[in-house]
Amino acid sequence: MTLLIKESEVTNLIDYREIYNSLVNAFELFENKLAINLQRSRISFKGATLTFQAAAMEDYIGYKTFISGNFLIFLYNISGELLSIIESDRLTQIRTAILSVIASDFIYGDYSSIGIIGLGKQGIAHVEVINEIKKGIKINVFTQSKSRLEKAISVLGSEGISVNVSDSIKKICEDSEVIVSITKAKDPFIKLDYVSSKRKHINAMGSNIPEKIEVYPEVVKASKIIVVEDFIQTLQEAGELVIAKKMNMLDESKLVTLSSVISKKVTIPKEGITLFKSVGIGLEDLAVGKLIYEKALSKGIGNEIEVKGIWYRELERK
């Protein structure tokens, strides 16, 4: 039987620290070639785009697919049995935010302030996660949309979360040790002079198609190290790196994987700009999907449904 886990059930199973640990474990496996990630593929037709990203680790193989904001994880065992279908919109928001925290922790280290640029549902999730995992940290926020700011303040206020509202991108960059950009911007907005102090770390989380870019090429060029999830997928999808490469402003020798950073195989510079360019990969979705499935199974949560995917004649049953 296949376990169907709905959004409301997923939300009740989410534990930020457990997701943090599951992602770190997945990248450690990836570094040791005990997990694999398949580059994302997309198909677009009449304005709709279906995305597919897959991975395998331990005794699991699976993928996430999404279209028009509908996110689903399909989890199989290595025998090919469909174990679970997981609704994963909220889970995607949370794993993205926690990934941002992981990158900041392992690349920058200790920090007392963080700036979030963009306050859509992903930006709000970042604030929620950071407020819980990094208790006492100063959270600065910025969005150009007044309505989004008002909505975010209302949502966060109802959860007892307070933030410091910056009046410009320059100001939030100056006031924050770690900067997170989580927008749908097509034009860059993080300039080199905004982050040219002694030490800054940037998590560029918003762009995963070449046509979108949040960070100016000059920042990419000036970065001491550029951390990515998957070399091939990032160089294909990350707008910041695609543009910088075209302009001869990308030194690929600076590229390292997050898995190598987590495994402490890379020395991180203690001065200058460090950059984490995330595009989101299937391995992350598999890791959190596995966690949610195993928790649901142990707690008796979810609905069992019969999904075979195999046709046979009545006589073949006998």
Side-chain angles (χ1 to χ4, degrees):
M1 299 293 281
T2 300
L3 192 64
L4 175 64
I5 310 174
K6 305 285 286 183
E7 283 284 357
S8 59
E9 295 164 327
V10 170
T11 301
N12 290 332
L13 292 167
I14 284 174
D15 179 287
Y16 296 163
R17 183 54 62 178
E18 288 178 349
I19 292 175
Y20 185 109
N21 293 336
S22 74
L23 289 169
V24 168
N25 175 64
F27 278 105
E28 288 175 337
L29 293 173
F30 192 45
E31 180 64 21
N32 290 296
K33 302 188 187 307
L34 298 173
I36 59 172
N37 180 70
L38 179 69
Q39 278 68 57
R40 176 164 36 223
S41 61
R42 295 182 174 98
I43 182 170
S44 297
F45 186 66
K46 294 186 176 180
T49 299
L50 177 70
T51 300
F52 173 91
Q53 49 200 57
M57 59 180 284
E58 298 177 331
D59 294 326
Y60 296 92
I61 187 166
Y63 62 91
K64 183 174 79 176
T65 184
F66 54 96
I67 183 172
S68 302
N70 298 304
F71 296 79
L72 293 171
I73 291 174
F74 292 78
L75 187 66
Y76 297 79
N77 62 23
I78 55 176
S79 298
E81 179 186 1
L82 178 57
L83 301 174
S84 187
I85 301 172
I86 307 169
E87 293 184 348
S88 53
D89 185 9
R90 179 60 172 169
L91 190 59
T92 298
Q93 297 168 31
I94 297 302
R95 73 92 161 132
T96 302
I98 292 174
L99 178 68
S100 191
V101 174
I102 290 170
S104 304
D105 288 351
F106 281 88
I107 300 168
Y108 191 90
D110 293 331
Y111 48 100
S112 58
S113 60
I114 189 166
I116 311 297
I117 302 173
L119 284 176
K121 62 184 182 180
Q122 294 273 13
I124 292 173
H126 265 74
V127 175
E128 292 169 328
V129 165
I130 292 163
N131 180 74
E132 179 63 28
I133 293 184
K134 312 292 290 186
K135 290 187 183 297
I137 195 171
K138 180 182 178 183
I139 304 175
N140 304 311
V141 299
F142 175 81
T143 177
Q144 291 182 329
S145 169
K146 183 179 179 180
S147 61
R148 282 198 172 184
L149 177 60
E150 290 174 349
K151 180 180 179 181
I153 294 299
S154 175
V155 169
L156 296 170
S158 69
E159 299 172 6
I161 301 173
S162 61
V163 293
N164 304 289
V165 179
S166 297
D167 59 10
S168 69
I169 293 172
K170 182 179 181 180
K171 179 66 172 170
I172 197 172
C173 290
E174 290 174 346
D175 291 346
S176 307
E177 295 166 88
V178 173
I179 302 151
V180 179
S181 56
I182 184 72
T183 74
K184 295 181 179 180
K186 294 183 179 180
D187 298 312
F189 50 80
I190 297 180
K191 297 181 178 181
L192 181 57
D193 64 326
Y194 294 174
V195 292
S196 56
S197 62
K198 188 174 181 181
R199 191 179 186 208
K200 289 287 183 183
H201 175 66
I202 303 167
N203 293 327
M205 309 294 291
S207 164
N208 62 13
I209 59 173
E211 295 77 20
K212 293 184 178 181
I213 178 170
E214 297 177 310
V215 177
Y216 274 90
E218 291 81 4
V219 178
V220 175
K221 183 179 181 180
S223 295
K224 300 292 187 181
I225 194 170
I226 302 168
V227 183
V228 301
E229 294 138 305
D230 180 285
F231 286 132
I232 297 173
Q233 186 172 328
T234 304
L235 288 172
Q236 289 175 345
E237 295 184 348
E240 289 85 357
L241 303 192
V242 170
I243 296 298
K245 186 172 183 178
K246 287 181 179 179
M247 299 176 68
N248 294 318
M249 298 176 78
L250 174 64
D251 181 354
E252 292 190 32
S253 69
K254 294 180 180 179
L255 294 174
V256 301
T257 59
L258 181 59
S259 61
S260 68
V261 172
I262 288 173
S263 300
K264 296 181 170 53
K265 295 181 179 179
V266 175
T267 300
I268 304 296
K270 296 303 181 184
E271 291 189 354
I273 302 165
T274 52
L275 172 64
F276 173 53
K277 177 56 226 171
S278 174
V279 293
I281 62 174
L283 179 65
E284 296 154 3
D285 300 307
L286 179 63
V288 295
K290 166 186 176 296
L291 173 67
I292 293 299
Y293 167 69
E294 291 177 347
K295 287 187 69 175
L297 207 60
S298 68
K299 295 177 179 292
I301 293 173
N303 294 311
E304 289 189 336
I305 58 175
E306 187 171 12
V307 182
K308 288 290 185 182
I310 299 173
W311 179 87
Y312 49 82
R313 300 176 192 275
E314 188 65 27
L315 290 175
E316 291 173 343
R317 288 183 171 183
K318 300 176 181 180

